[in-house]
């Protein structure tokens, strides 16, 4: 059963802590993406990766970091430098490098206490 | 000016109504146009994908692109309560790599 999985579904963090969100895909897609979704706003691109061991900053990369050590995995770390981290985080992948058909995971809701 | 504008709604319609959802955009370089459906607390799922101008139909859904007016629409016929969700338009230009998403229109279909 192919798809994208994200874990955990809900995450609570204290201020000043780093936290890592997991994203795994078994679709054999080359490209992977991380988005942030806030109420009333469109999806905003945090980071994207076209290939293993390579990734690029999106529009709102400050306070976030990623790695792409395996084709299937693209974890996102929300660091303490991120000023307003409470949001819904979505991971996506696309079969090609042009990104026009993206498939999304179920999302992780991060709340900073 | 935002690259894409989408009325956030909410839009409330009775079951069986025809629904029209719309987005306008500013950059004529966009060539690929998508519509995603997102249920509450879930990830978006791709509904429709069109290239350039014209219409595309899939069951009760029709996507329409008017590049001259920079206007895209999604029509839902015979709407059902299960269509209640947020609908996001998305645009992409070849070579740009980044997909631009609208803020989404929240739709409620009342039984």
């Amino acid at each position: 059963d192919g798809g994208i999985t994200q874990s955990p579904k809900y995450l609570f963090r204290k201020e000043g802590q780093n936290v890592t969100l997991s994203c795994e895909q078994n679709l054999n897609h080359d490209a992977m993406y991380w988005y942030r979704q806030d109420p009333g706003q469109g999806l905003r691109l945090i980071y994207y990766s076209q290939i293993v061991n390579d990734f690029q900053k999106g529009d709102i990369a400050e306070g976030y970091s990623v790695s792409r050590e395996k084709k299937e995995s693209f974890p996102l770390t929300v660091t303490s430098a991120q000023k307003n981290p409470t949001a819904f985080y979505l991971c996506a992948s696309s079969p090609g490098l042009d990104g026009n058909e993206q498939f999304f995971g179920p999302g992780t809701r991060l709340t900073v206490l | 000016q935002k690259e894409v504008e989408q009325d956030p709604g909410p839009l409330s319609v009775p079951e069986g109504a025809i629904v029209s959802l719309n987005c306008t955009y500013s950059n004529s370089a966009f060539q690929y146009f998508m519509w995603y459906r997102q249920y509450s607390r879930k990830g978006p799922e791709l509904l429709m994908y069109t290239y350039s101008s014209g219409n595309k139909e899939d069951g009760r859904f029709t996507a329409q692109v008017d590049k001259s007016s920079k206007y895209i629409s999604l029509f839902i016929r015979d709407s059902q309560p299960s269509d209640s969700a947020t609908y996001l338009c998305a645009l992409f230009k070849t070579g740009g790599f980044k997909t631009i998403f609208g803020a989404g229109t929240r739709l409620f279909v009342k039984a």
Side-chain angles (χ1 to χ4, degrees):
Chain A
D1 193 19
I4 302 176
T5 57
Q6 290 185 243
S7 61
K9 188 172 182 179
Y10 298 98
L11 189 57
F12 297 90
R13 188 196 92 175
K14 292 182 180 179
E15 280 193 34
Q17 289 182 334
N18 292 355
V19 64
T20 298
L21 282 58
S22 169
C23 176
E24 303 278 333
Q25 55 101 357
N26 61 5
L27 301 168
N28 199 33
H29 287 173
D30 286 315
M32 296 187 74
Y33 315 79
W34 274 105
Y35 292 93
R36 171 181 172 140
Q37 187 174 35
D38 296 283
Q41 298 194 42
L43 303 181
R44 293 187 288 169
L45 183 64
I46 304 172
Y47 268 98
Y48 63 95
S49 169
Q50 298 183 39
I51 199 168
V52 174
N53 293 323
D54 184 61
F55 48 83
Q56 306 295 328
K57 291 182 179 180
D59 298 319
I60 56 165
E62 185 175 349
Y64 300 98
S65 65
V66 293
S67 63
R68 187 87 187 275
E69 296 176 2
K70 298 186 299 181
K71 187 176 184 177
E72 304 78 24
S73 178
F74 192 41
L76 173 75
T77 296
V78 184
T79 75
S80 57
Q82 169 50 234
K83 300 302 179 191
N84 185 22
T86 294
F88 190 49
Y89 290 88
L90 288 159
C91 179
S93 69
S94 62
L97 300 180
D98 55 9
N100 55 341
E101 279 187 280
Q102 295 185 21
F103 297 84
F104 285 85
T108 293
R109 174 70 185 177
L110 172 64
T111 302
V112 174
L113 304 172
Chain B
Q1 184 184 12
K2 286 185 178 179
E3 288 192 274
V4 59
E5 300 272 3
Q6 184 175 12
D7 188 334
L11 179 62
S12 184
V13 301
E15 184 176 357
I18 296 174
V19 176
S20 172
L21 303 166
N22 311 293
C23 286
T24 58
Y25 62 96
S26 56
N27 191 335
S28 58
F30 288 119
Q31 298 170 296
Y32 298 90
F33 306 91
M34 287 77 72
W35 284 96
Y36 286 83
R37 178 176 62 196
Q38 185 177 23
Y39 291 113
S40 183
R41 300 187 184 88
K42 304 288 186 185
E45 57 178 320
L46 183 63
L47 264 184
M48 301 287 284
Y49 165 79
T50 55
Y51 173 73
S52 196
S53 285
N55 291 359
K56 183 174 183 179
E57 190 173 316
D58 184 1
R60 296 184 295 111
F61 298 90
T62 299
Q64 190 173 80
V65 176
D66 182 350
K67 290 191 74 178
S68 62
S69 302
K70 300 189 184 70
Y71 192 86
I72 63 173
S73 301
L74 178 70
F75 297 97
I76 306 174
R77 292 184 298 280
D78 188 25
S79 56
Q80 303 294 311
S82 59
D83 295 327
S84 297
T86 297
Y87 290 81
L88 304 160
C89 62
L91 301 86
F92 183 84
K93 52 190 174 192
T94 300
F97 196 76
K98 186 175 75 171
T99 299
I100 306 298
F101 289 87
T105 299
R106 194 153 185 202
L107 172 67
F108 295 97
V109 181
K110 299 172 293 185

